[in-house]
Amino acid sequence: MSKATRIILWSLSGCVLALTLLALGDRLDLGGRLGWAFDLLSHWPRHLLLASLVIGGVALWRRKRGPAITALAAAVINVVLVIGLGGFARPQAAPESARLIRIASANVHGSPPALGQFVDLAHDYGADIIAIYEAPNDLTDALLPDIFPDLPDRILPSQRANGWPLIRRSLLAGRDIADLGVEMFDGSHGVLIHGRAGAVQIVATHPPSPGDPGLMHDRDQQLAAIAVLIDTSRPFIIAGDFNSTPWGRAYAAVPGERAGDPRFDGTFPAMFASLGLPIDHIKFGGGLILTDYRVGPDITSDHLPLFATFALPTNLPPDLPGN
């Protein structure tokens, strides 16, 4: 029994350390044929941390020093990745008399009930902007006025420039949004929706899930393209299902700070709550101040929704719209 226990513990501890080291390949920008595998593994440091602590604890209990050291080495690497993560903001008090802008963002997984629940939550939140991904197939432009009566500026791209239908559609609705437009990508169902809510640049995105190396490239291309659309010296908000956690290199290409601490957030799959992967994000910058952030409840989608409120800077340059 002791020999079998030793073999099992060595196998488990070796596996968790190997996965941890392979995940570092993405952070080190090691590409080639293994680049896709590196990316897939890079998003799991919290889970690898929990697994390594459990395995290391059992090994210590069973007095198996080698497996314990191996598992705890993986734990140390992962705790550094998790605790050391930066680039996010926590809510703070809004400056006196500052104007506020509220946004709600969710992947509704093509579900009309999820859409309905999310819209109700966004209305209760007082959202000025609602971003939706994987809109139901039967949702049409003609239905939007009834769903968003208080948000008259809407865009729901349904086909590419060549007339081919988009497999998954995104939607942006708001009030007083100017210059609404889309950026499309050849051979992809993903789009960038962009506009301007007064002085604030808005981008909503849902690149494809990196289910294979080609889709990973597509996701990376779309996330990197956001930086071209945004003037980071001026207020901006970027919302979306990025299909990347903050530990992935692709995420880092998107400018701005993340609203809320993602280290202990989870948005996908919804049933796992905070133990899920934080792949849904709201990022911001250009002088905006985060005054509220929350992960919403289960809306019967496979993602949890996000809500955030921002205070506009009080010293906007005079040439900015909305000043």
Side-chain angles (χ1 to χ4, degrees), residues 98-115:
R99 286 175 293 164
L100 302 179
I101 182 169
R102 296 177 174 85
I103 183 168
S105 174
N107 183 325
V108 300
H109 195 47
S111 166
L115 173 64

Side-chain angles (χ1 to χ4, degrees), residues 249-309:
R249 197 167 41 85
Y251 169 92
V254 182
E257 288 186 295
R258 187 190 191 271
D261 185 345
R263 295 175 299 177
F264 309 105
D265 266 1
T267 61
F268 173 85
M271 69 176 69
F272 290 166
S274 60
L275 291 178
L277 293 174
I279 63 173
D280 301 272
H281 309 284
I282 298 175
K283 300 189 79 173
F284 69 100
L288 291 176
I289 298 172
L290 178 69
T291 63
D292 182 65
Y293 166 79
R294 62 191 71 175
V295 178
D298 191 344
I299 56 173
T300 70
S301 170
D302 58 347
H303 290 248
L304 296 175
L306 298 179
F307 303 86
T309 300

